């Protein structure tokens, strides 16, 4: 079994093992309760990100010692469900659309995802049904889960059959994912060592002066870039005008960033101008989906040597499912997480979209560590993560996680009494916001984003 802890995640990033001694933890009983070691996974991902930020900040500030990192289970548990804590003028967002749910099939269960209008239309088209939950339930009850999965994916929609961990381990995609490291790192060459302006002042912002092109959607990728914005980076999110983002989802993950619309098919010149001054590009679309625009890691690095390219996907950039769309809820179903968290009579879910959030913090950590390495020897860096691989880490560590829970939940643990201590409010152009504070914390570092989210697509496609 692989331990679900900071040491394992930090090693996956190539970090100095001695630095994990800089991490301290406030353990809170009751945070992120689950059968699987979700609390340990979330804690490790956030701690690794904070440590990577502290390390980069120390190097840029020319400090001999890396600042201490403090991880509080309460802050982590609150941040991992940030989308549920968001209020806009007192209004709570809708998490899932009516057709995004579990459905009983003739031989088991299937989960669909239809939050976006185009996904809903493809789902209904594949099933040849009207938008009526009762009709969908009746039709799916007569079909096998694998048949539904194949039909919906064939139509460009999203549906995944429930599998056990053993079934996923024998699945061709599961085998491919398990063979990969938690964080894939490559150094293809090209690019000089970085010499950014040394840091000074307070708070310590490790990424200040760095420019990040954010080509991500939904949760994991935007969480990563939201974290880089917290740390001082100029993050510019780029979206196609033809693919509007869900407003509340964009609000939750838009803190500290700017948001612009840009058609990559018709305005490649503007993108090239942005790329020419970028330090980091983060992508969260299906592997290969952006290649036709010249946005593969290799093509980006050829035009901008010394770039850090960070890629995120649901299933990994390999295997028969490489080009499939996916979301946290669907990855839980395919990999066996939902089967473990279920009641025995029906499938369940993790207490948070922990694959999304956890992978997001790991992705930010991978970017930060790449930037630290570049201070010494330059070079282009590619990093790649997949939700399914994070799920494998969670599943592989379940025995060690149970032991960890037993060790931490004793008299020395504080209680998690709810999220109030880690929520804040502020005004914005979108209205009065209540939101979860960032869980990434290190001595001298920022405690909140410098600015609230901007309305979707209202900024110019240019650097600040």
């Amino acid at each position: 079994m692989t331990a679900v802890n900071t040491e394992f995640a930090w090693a996956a990033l190539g970090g100095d093992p001695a630095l994990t001694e800089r991490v301290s933890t406030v353990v809170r009983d009751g945070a992120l309760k689950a059968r699987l070691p979700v609390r340990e996974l979330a804690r490790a991902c956030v701690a690794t990100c904070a440590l990577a930020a502290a390390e980069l900040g120390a190097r840029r500030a020319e400090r001999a010692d890396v600042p201490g990192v403090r991880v509080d289970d309460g802050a982590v548990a609150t941040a991992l469900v940030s989308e549920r804590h968001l209020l806009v003028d007192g209004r709570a967002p809708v998490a899932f659309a009516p057709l995004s749910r579990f459905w009983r099939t003739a031989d088991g269960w299937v989960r669909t995802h239809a939050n976006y209008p185009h996904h809903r239309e493809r789902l209904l088209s594949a099933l040849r049904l009207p938008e009526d939950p009762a009709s969908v339930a009746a039709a799916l009850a007569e079909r096998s889960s694998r048949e539904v999965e194949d039909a919906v994916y064939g139509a460009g929609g999203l549906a995944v059959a429930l599998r056990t961990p053993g079934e996923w381990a024998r699945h061709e995609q599961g085998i491919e994912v398990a063979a990969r490291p938690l964080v894939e790192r490559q150094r293809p060459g090209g690019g000089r060592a970085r010499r950014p302006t040394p840091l000074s002042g307070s708070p310590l912002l490790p990424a200040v002066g760095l420019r990040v092109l954010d080509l991500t959607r939904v949760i994991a990728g935007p969480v990563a870039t939201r974290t880089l914005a917290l740390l001082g980076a100029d993050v510019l999110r780029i979206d196609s005008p033809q693919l509007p983002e869900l407003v509340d989802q964009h609000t939750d993950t838009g803190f500290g960033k700017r948001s612009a619309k840009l058609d990559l098919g018709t305005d490649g010149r503007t993108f090239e101008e942005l790329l020419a001054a970028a330090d980091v590009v983060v992508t969260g679309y299906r592997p290969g989906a952006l290649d036709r625009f010249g946005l593969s890691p290799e093509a980006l690095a050829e035009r901008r040597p010394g770039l850090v390219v960070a890629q995120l996907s649901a299933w990994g950039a390999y295997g028969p499912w490489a080009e499939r769309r996916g979301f946290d809820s669907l990855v839980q179903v395919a990999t066996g997480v939902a089967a473990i968290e279920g009641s025995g009579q029906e499938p369940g879910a993790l207490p948070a979209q922990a694959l999304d959030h956890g992978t997001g913090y790991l992705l930010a950590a991978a970017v930060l560590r790449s930037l630290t390495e570049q201070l010494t020897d330059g070079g282009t860096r590619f990093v790649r993560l997949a939700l399914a691989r994070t799920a494998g880490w969670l599943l592989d560590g379940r025995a060690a996680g149970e032991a960890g829970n037993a060790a931490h939940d004793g008299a020395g643990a504080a209680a998690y009494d709810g999220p109030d201590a880690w929520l804040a409010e502020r005004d914005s152009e979108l209205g009065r916001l209540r939101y979860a504070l960032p869980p990434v914390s290190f001595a001298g570092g920022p405690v909140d984003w410098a600015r609230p989210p901007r309305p979707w697509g209202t900024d110019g496609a240019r650097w600040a």
Side-chain angles (χ1 to χ4, degrees):
M1 291 290 180
T2 299
V4 181
N5 58 29
T6 303
E7 288 76 12
F8 180 81
W10 187 246
L13 295 173
D16 178 358
L19 289 182
T20 58
E21 297 177 0
R22 305 297 296 159
V23 179
S24 63
T25 303
V26 179
V27 178
R28 295 189 185 273
D29 187 11
L32 297 172
K33 281 189 174 180
R35 292 187 173 92
L36 290 166
V38 179
R39 181 180 61 175
E40 285 73 18
L41 178 134
R43 182 193 295 153
C45 292
V46 170
T48 301
C49 184
L51 186 56
E55 179 192 30
L56 177 60
R59 288 290 307 277
R60 291 192 62 190
E62 301 178 341
R63 292 174 50 168
D65 295 328
V66 172
V69 168
R70 184 175 183 270
V71 183
D72 191 311
D73 282 351
V76 173
T78 303
L80 252 70
V81 289
S82 60
E83 65 275 7
R84 301 181 200 172
H85 293 307
L86 178 71
L87 294 179
V88 182
D89 287 333
R91 176 187 59 82
V94 176
F96 286 100
L99 297 183
S100 296
R101 47 166 282 195
F102 281 108
W103 307 87
R104 189 181 288 278
T105 62
D107 63 345
W109 295 86
V110 69
R111 180 152 191 168
T112 56
H113 196 287
N115 284 6
Y116 287 98
H118 56 291
H119 291 158
R120 182 180 66 248
E121 292 167 6
R122 293 168 187 171
L123 170 67
L124 295 172
S125 174
L127 300 176
R128 299 181 181 179
L129 293 171
E131 189 175 346
D132 171 36
S135 299
V136 173
L140 294 185
E142 298 177 352
R143 304 173 70 170
S144 74
S145 55
R146 305 295 171 87
E147 178 189 357
V148 174
E149 178 182 274
D150 290 342
V152 174
Y153 263 109
L158 295 108
V160 171
L162 178 71
R163 291 172 172 82
T164 65
E167 289 172 330
W168 178 248
R170 294 186 295 273
H171 190 278
E172 188 176 350
Q173 188 65 30
I175 294 170
E176 288 276 1
V177 171
R180 309 286 170 149
L182 179 63
V183 181
E184 296 180 70
R185 301 183 298 132
Q186 292 179 278
R187 183 182 172 185
R192 298 179 179 178
R194 292 183 178 274
R195 285 178 171 76
T197 304
L199 299 180
S200 62
S202 181
L204 181 63
L205 298 173
V208 72
L210 299 173
R211 290 171 167 170
V212 178
L213 275 175
D214 178 3
L215 282 76
T216 69
R217 293 173 70 82
V218 195
I219 295 178
V223 164
T225 51
R226 180 181 70 182
T227 303
L228 296 175
L230 168 75
L231 300 170
D234 179 9
V235 178
L236 179 62
R237 173 163 164 168
I238 299 293
D239 283 287
S240 167
Q242 286 77 44
L243 288 175
E245 182 59 287
L246 302 176
V247 175
D248 292 330
Q249 192 164 262
H250 179 76
T251 301
D252 175 54
T253 58
F255 283 84
K257 310 179 193 178
R258 291 178 298 116
S259 170
K261 291 179 285 188
L262 182 65
D263 190 328
L264 298 176
T266 61
D267 196 0
R269 180 177 178 179
T270 297
F271 182 83
E272 292 304 314
E273 292 173 352
L274 293 170
L275 178 64
D279 300 289
V280 179
V281 175
V282 185
T283 68
Y285 291 78
R286 287 175 300 133
L290 298 176
D291 289 6
R292 68 184 186 277
F293 302 116
L295 301 183
S296 69
E298 295 77 12
L300 289 168
E302 183 177 348
R303 303 200 301 280
R304 178 66 168 162
L307 194 68
V308 175
V309 183
Q311 290 182 294
L312 174 79
S313 64
W315 309 107
Y318 33 74
W321 285 18
E323 296 184 0
R324 286 196 175 191
R325 297 173 176 86
F327 295 93
D328 180 305
S329 58
L330 302 183
V331 175
Q332 289 188 41
V333 172
T335 59
V337 171
I340 290 176
E341 293 294 335
S343 63
Q345 300 299 316
E346 57 185 46
L350 298 176
Q353 295 190 67
L355 305 181
D356 259 335
H357 285 269
T359 307
Y361 288 113
L362 278 181
L363 187 66
V367 169
L368 295 165
R369 283 245 64 248
S370 296
L371 293 167
T372 297
E373 292 175 348
Q374 287 182 330
L375 293 175
T376 301
D377 52 8
T380 301
R381 296 292 195 284
F382 296 162
V383 295
R384 179 183 293 152
L385 288 90
L387 302 186
R389 184 62 188 86
T390 304
W393 181 33
L394 177 66
L395 288 162
D396 195 36
R398 58 188 180 271
E402 290 167 4
N405 279 331
H408 285 306
D409 284 353
Y416 179 58
D417 295 325
D420 291 351
W422 299 281
L423 297 175
E425 292 192 14
R426 71 199 303 178
D427 292 317
S428 75
E429 296 175 65
L430 297 159
R432 181 71 177 175
L433 304 180
R434 188 195 73 175
Y435 60 98
L437 289 166
V440 173
S441 176
F442 57 94
V447 297
D448 199 349
W449 290 274
R451 55 181 179 271
R454 298 266 295 145
W456 182 79
T458 56
D459 292 292
R462 57 184 177 272
W463 294 115

